[in-house]
Amino acid sequence: MKNALVTGITGQDGSYLAELLLSKGYNVYGIWRRKANVDYGNISHLKDEINLIYADMTDLSSLISAVKISQPDEVYNLAAQSFVASSWDTPLNTAETDALGVTNILEAIRLVKPDARFYQASTSEMFGLVQEIPQTEKTPFYPRSPYGVAKLYGHWITKNYRESYNIFACSGILFNHESERRGLEFVTRKITNSAVKIKLGLQDCVELGNLDSKRDWGHSEDYVRAMWLMLQQDTPDDFVIATNETRTVREFAETAFRCLDIEIDWQGSGVDEIGVDRATGKTVVKVNKKFFRPAEVDILLGNPEKAEKILGWKRNVNFSQLVERMVKNDLNLLSSRNNKIIKLK
Ligand code: NAP
Ligand code: GDD
């Protein structure tokens, strides 16, 4: 039986990856941070099947202990301050976790279990001000946020430990992936959650930032499968994981509202743009400047050809299925919590 150590196990990807590894018969260890109130969150349904170890990416000694305890065959480094907008508010903490934290876990592996295979959660944010469309493993990087810059350090230190110490270390350059477990501040979940609240009469309107921003959105369940596949190869390498389709935030909102039988008409432009419910004439989407970023990543579109060819990876969930799953999940959660029943056409 193989042992796997997952950092960031309480997050969106960590929870889906833990499910995948358990289904494959792994002994799953995860690191988590102590909180004032114990909260299992995304892993509450798994807590009796996994081994949780208190540790922090900024604390090398805790990571050395975690590697000693878990004796991992595979380490998946998913822990990060992952919200791009927050990285301008906490640039140093973001760098300590997302950049130096990667060196900490690599050092723990080098010192305690150098034959462990290592996966680093790299990101399409490293492409930032994109130098070509679509982006591939060969596209030059140009990060546009403290988060993107920190992740670029994590990406290169992973490559460096592969080349310096022969550690089996891979980076997955993953484009945006979402799910029913996505944090509420990310734009997709913010939209699906708000759209459902609007449908249920619990909220009037959702305020968003840049509606023109384009993202390549897939489902987390498909993307954690790619992480595992990378560590099953004969040689370590880096791979882009993406859908090869890009949509605007505006399109995501339209699709989410449509799942709830609400057609949106867009009026005005820039900060004055609004989305109006065609049937009622009510404004359900507004633009608020406070959600704009100091520097934006305008368009992400990834080409996953290398992963499809070498890993045999293919996504199963397309854009409309992703949005529908997220909306239905929020509808179930919010209607039962608020004792409301609605019938969709
Ligand atoms: P997420 O839901 O925000 O999860 C992040 C996890 O990291 C949480 O478990 C969090 O624990 C943990 N964490 C944060 N700081 C930590 C620290 N100092 N020490 C230990 N744990 C810490 O993120 P996700 O969407 O699952 O993403 C997983 C990884 O993939 C991240 O590294 C992210 O940057 C990267 N990535 C994500 C996407 C995407 O679209 N989702 C795309 C590319 C790359 P708490 O519960 O204690 O906060
Ligand atoms: N969060 C948020 N809230 N974003 C908004 C809003 C809003 O109200 N309105 C517009 N947006 C735009 C953002 O400006 C951005 O262009 C886009 O929606 C997506 O924002 P997020 O959902 O916050 O995700 P992200 O693309 O910045 O970052 C995610 O994907 C990266 C991979 O490209 C995160 O998961 C990162 O951890 C990940 O690395």
Side-chain angles (χ1 to χ4, degrees):
M1 191 185 257
K2 279 188 183 173
N3 292 351
L5 175 64
V6 180
T7 75
I9 198 160
T10 57
Q12 170 188 261
D13 290 3
S15 61
Y16 283 114
L17 180 65
E19 282 172 12
L20 179 79
L21 294 169
L22 286 169
S23 76
K24 291 187 181 296
Y26 283 70
N27 240 330
V28 178
Y29 293 80
I31 71 158
W32 68 332
R33 296 188 285 181
R34 202 201 78 82
K35 294 193 178 99
N37 292 307
V38 174
D39 176 13
Y40 291 98
N42 284 320
I43 50 165
S44 50
H45 60 302
L46 302 175
K47 68 178 188 313
D48 298 329
E49 296 171 73
I50 58 183
N51 309 283
L52 291 170
I53 304 166
Y54 281 124
D56 193 296
M57 295 308 294
T58 61
D59 182 333
L60 175 61
S61 62
S62 70
L63 295 175
I64 288 177
S65 294
V67 175
K68 274 190 182 154
I69 294 166
S70 58
Q71 291 297 314
D73 298 287
E74 295 170 12
V75 177
Y76 296 86
N77 184 35
L78 310 186
Q81 189 302 93
S82 74
F83 190 45
V84 174
S86 276
S87 72
W88 279 278
D89 303 325
T90 58
L92 297 178
N93 171 265
T94 302
E96 276 162 13
T97 307
D98 300 10
L100 292 183
V102 187
T103 310
N104 284 337
I105 184 75
L106 282 165
E107 274 295 282
I109 291 170
R110 183 179 74 81
L111 295 169
V112 180
K113 189 81 172 52
D115 63 337
R117 295 186 167 204
F118 178 74
Y119 173 84
Q120 167 59 15
S122 285
T123 165
S124 47
E125 267 286 313
M126 299 185 309
F127 295 124
L129 188 63
V130 298
Q131 303 294 297
E132 62 179 357
I133 299 171
Q135 295 87 49
T136 72
E137 293 79 3
K138 295 201 167 88
T139 303
F141 298 119
Y142 193 137
R144 292 271 277 175
S145 59
Y147 168 82
V149 175
K151 280 285 185 177
L152 191 52
Y153 173 94
H155 185 75
W156 280 109
I157 202 71
T158 299
K159 218 179 177 67
N160 182 261
Y161 270 57
R162 177 162 83 212
E163 292 172 2
S164 306
Y165 301 115
N166 209 20
I167 289 178
F168 191 107
C170 305
S171 282
I173 306 174
L174 271 50
F175 282 62
N176 296 51
H177 46 281
E178 318 294 312
S179 75
E180 297 85 327
R181 298 180 195 165
R182 188 56 144 155
L184 282 166
E185 72 272 63
F186 295 92
V187 78
T188 54
R189 186 79 194 285
K190 179 175 172 182
I191 291 171
T192 59
N193 192 265
S194 302
V196 167
K197 282 185 175 160
I198 290 166
K199 181 76 183 180
L200 295 175
L202 302 168
Q203 183 177 321
D204 294 330
C205 174
V206 57
E207 290 189 340
L208 298 172
N210 183 2
L211 297 175
D212 293 318
S213 168
K214 288 180 153 182
R215 289 291 182 275
D216 178 327
W217 277 300
H219 195 289
S220 171
E221 239 170 21
D222 282 338
Y223 285 48
V224 300
R225 209 171 58 250
M227 298 174 189
W228 177 79
L229 282 168
M230 283 179 219
L231 296 199
Q232 314 312 311
Q233 304 306 305
D234 292 335
T235 45
D237 204 348
D238 305 329
F239 294 90
V240 159
I241 304 296
T243 70
N244 210 5
E245 284 175 24
T246 190
R247 317 269 176 167
T248 59
V249 170
R250 190 183 290 97
E251 278 175 277
F252 191 100
E254 265 169 28
T255 313
F257 276 102
R258 193 165 295 131
C259 291
L260 296 160
D261 302 328
I262 298 174
E263 286 299 325
I264 301 286
D265 288 329
W266 299 99
Q267 298 172 8
S269 62
V271 284
D272 297 321
E273 184 166 358
I274 53 170
V276 174
D277 178 340
R278 190 177 297 164
T280 63
K282 284 187 183 159
T283 299
V284 288
V285 182
K286 278 187 197 162
V287 173
N288 187 330
K289 262 187 149 167
K290 91 173 180 204
F291 297 112
F292 281 76
R293 294 176 180 178
E296 179 62 282
V297 172
D298 294 321
I299 172 163
L300 290 176
L301 174 63
N303 180 349
E305 209 177 291
K306 179 176 167 187
E308 288 178 354
K309 209 165 137 197
I310 296 176
L311 305 178
W313 177 82
K314 232 177 163 31
R315 58 110 181 229
N316 291 327
V317 182
N318 68 26
F319 177 76
S320 51
Q321 290 166 330
L322 167 72
V323 183
E324 196 179 324
R325 273 175 67 163
M326 292 179 70
V327 169
K328 280 195 171 149
N329 172 66
D330 278 322
L331 189 58
N332 284 340
L333 286 176
L334 287 162
S335 48
S336 57
R337 202 177 293 160
N338 293 284
N339 237 344
K340 300 228 180 204
I341 297 168
I342 59 157
K343 282 203 180 111
L344 299 176
K345 269 184 238 149

